Amino acid sequence: MMERISNDPVTTGSQDHSRRDLLRQGSVAALMGALPGLSAGVALAEDAAPALSAAGTPFQAGMVADLARALAKRPYAAPRTDDLPGALTGLNREQYNAIRTAPGSAVWSQDNLGFTVEPLHRGSVFTGRVALALVEDGKVRPLAYDRSRFEAEGFALPEFKDDPGYSGLRIRARFDGGELTDFATFQGASFFRLIAAGQGFGVTARALTLRPADSRGEEFPELRAIWVERPGPGGPLVLHCLVDSASATASLRMSLRPGGASLCDVEGTVFARAAIDHLGLGGMTTSYFFGPYDRRGADDARAGAYASTGLQIRTGAGEAIWRPARNPETLQVSSFVDENPKGFGLMQRARRYGDFEDDVQHWEWRPSLWLEPFGNWGPGAVTLLEIPSDSEFNENILAYWRPKAKLEAGTEHAFSYRQHWCWQPPEAPPVALVSGTRSGKAKGEGNRRLFLVDFTGDILFADPDLQPTLLTSPGTVAPPTLYRYPDRKTVRVSFELDTGGEKACELRLLLKRGDAPVTETWLYRWTP
C-alpha cells in the first residue's frame, strides 16, 4: 500500500481588492508595524519573535491570513531560543511540570465563563516563544509576561530584564456546566491536544506537517502567535493562530467546543515560501509501545502500553478500512491512496482496564481523534508512519493527509475540517468492526505466522453465509477458518501466512455476504 505521490502545481486564486480588503490590509499594516522586523521592506531579524499589536488595535476577520501571506513573502528567520537561562533550559520533565499556574491567575478566572486560559512558561524542551493576545470587544489585548502568574515547586523562577513571552497556553473548560477542568493545550512546534469529558490527554494534532520521514529531513513549523477571542455565553472558544516555517506560513481559525465528544473546527490556509512537494494536513501523532499482537522487546508486567489502537479510514468511495498500529523494528511508511476522503483518524478501541493493567497511565482513557474533511480534498493519500520506539512516551505513530498536488512558491492552499476528540467516532461504519488482532509463530517448521483477526457486530449474524476475502503480497496464505461466537457478536478469522523469506508482506482481509462487505477491510503489514 505504498506509493510515491506525484507532484502537480497549485495555482493561486485571484485577488479581490474590495473595500473590506483595503480596511483589513490597513489593520494588518498596523499589526505588522508592531511585529519586530515586519515593517514594510525590512526582513525579519534572526532574534525577532512575533509580538502583538498595541492594546486597542481592531481585530478583523481575515487579518491573520493576511499577516501570514505577507510574512511568507519575506525571508524566514528562526525564532530566538538562546535568551533563556540554563536554570530553565536544563529542567527535566518532572521539574518543568512543577511550574504551575498560580491560583486565581488564569485569564477570565473571575468572570464565570465557560473557559479559562493559562499562559505556559518557557523552559525545558519548550524554548520557543509564542506571542499571546486576547480579543475582547473586537480589540486586541496583548498578554505580556507576568512572573506572578506562576508558582514553581523546588526552585525560584528567574527574573527577566526583557519580556520572555510564553511557550503556549492551556485551556480549561466546563464540561456540561461542571467545574473547570483540563480541556486543551497548545505548546511545542505547531502541536495541540484536546480531550472529551472524562478523558486524559493522548493523541496530539499538528497545525501543519512538512516532509515527515523525508530524506531531506522533516521541517517542524512553529506557532508564533495566538489570538484568543473572549467567548460568549454558551459559545465556543475561538483561536486564531499564526504558523511560521522555512518553507511556508499558515493561518488557522479554530473553534473549540468541549463535550462528551469535543469538537474543533479548523479553517486554514497555507502560504508557500518555497516549493512544497510533501505537505501534510490534519496531522496527528500517538504512541504505540506494545500490545497484544506486538510485544517486541517489551519485558513488561502490563498487558499493553499504547494511546491508539490503529488507523481508521473512510475512503471517498465509502470503504471502511482498519489498520492496526505497530512498533516496528524499522521505519514503515504506508500510503492509502484516495480521492476526497470522508474521514480518517487514530482511534483508541481498547477501553477496558484489563487491556492495559496500568494504574498510572490509564491508556483506556485516551481520546480517539477522528478528522472529517469539509469540501472536496481532491486526490492524495492518507499516510501512516510507524517509527521504532523504545519508550511509551515517544509519539512514534503519525497519520496525515498528503495532497497529490504540489504547492509552488508564492501560492496558497486553503483547507477546512472538523476534529472529533471522542470515545467513539461520530458515525460508526455500517459494517462489523475489527475488534482484535493477534499474531504469533505458527506450529511446525518454516516461516509461517498465525493470525487471529476478530470482527464484531450484529450484521455478522443476520445471515450465516459469510465469505472471507484474504490476500497477501508477497507470500502465501492458507484458506482461513472462521469461528463464530454469537454471545460476543464476534467472528474470528484464523489463518497462516507463509512469508517465503520476504522482509515484508501486505495482508488484506474482509468478510462479505455475496458482493457486499459486512466488515471493515483489515490491512496489515507484516515485518520481522
Side-chain angles (χ1 to χ4, degrees), residues 175 183-186 191-197 199-206 254-266 282-285 346-347 351 365-371 395 417-426:
F175 290 88
F183 171 49
T185 60
F186 289 73
F191 303 155
F192 62 98
R193 300 189 294 174
L194 277 67
I195 55 174
Q199 293 182 333
F201 286 112
V203 62
T204 299
R206 296 183 172 194
M254 310 176 73
S255 177
L256 283 58
R257 286 173 282 176
S262 294
L263 303 180
C264 177
D265 289 348
V266 178
M284 55 189 80
T285 60
L346 294 173
M347 316 305 288
R351 292 301 185 189
W365 297 347
R366 305 301 175 93
S368 293
L369 175 51
W370 178 253
L371 185 146
E395 292 193 323
Y417 55 81
R418 171 170 291 174
Q419 293 175 332
H420 301 258
W421 301 76
C422 53
W423 295 94
Q424 301 291 339

Side-chain angles (χ1 to χ4, degrees), residues 427-451:
E427 182 180 353
V431 292
L433 303 183
V434 177
S435 56
T437 299
R438 305 185 73 85
S439 174
K441 188 179 185 303
K443 295 181 179 179
E445 298 180 356
N447 297 318
R448 296 198 309 278
R449 301 286 301 175
L450 174 66
F451 283 86

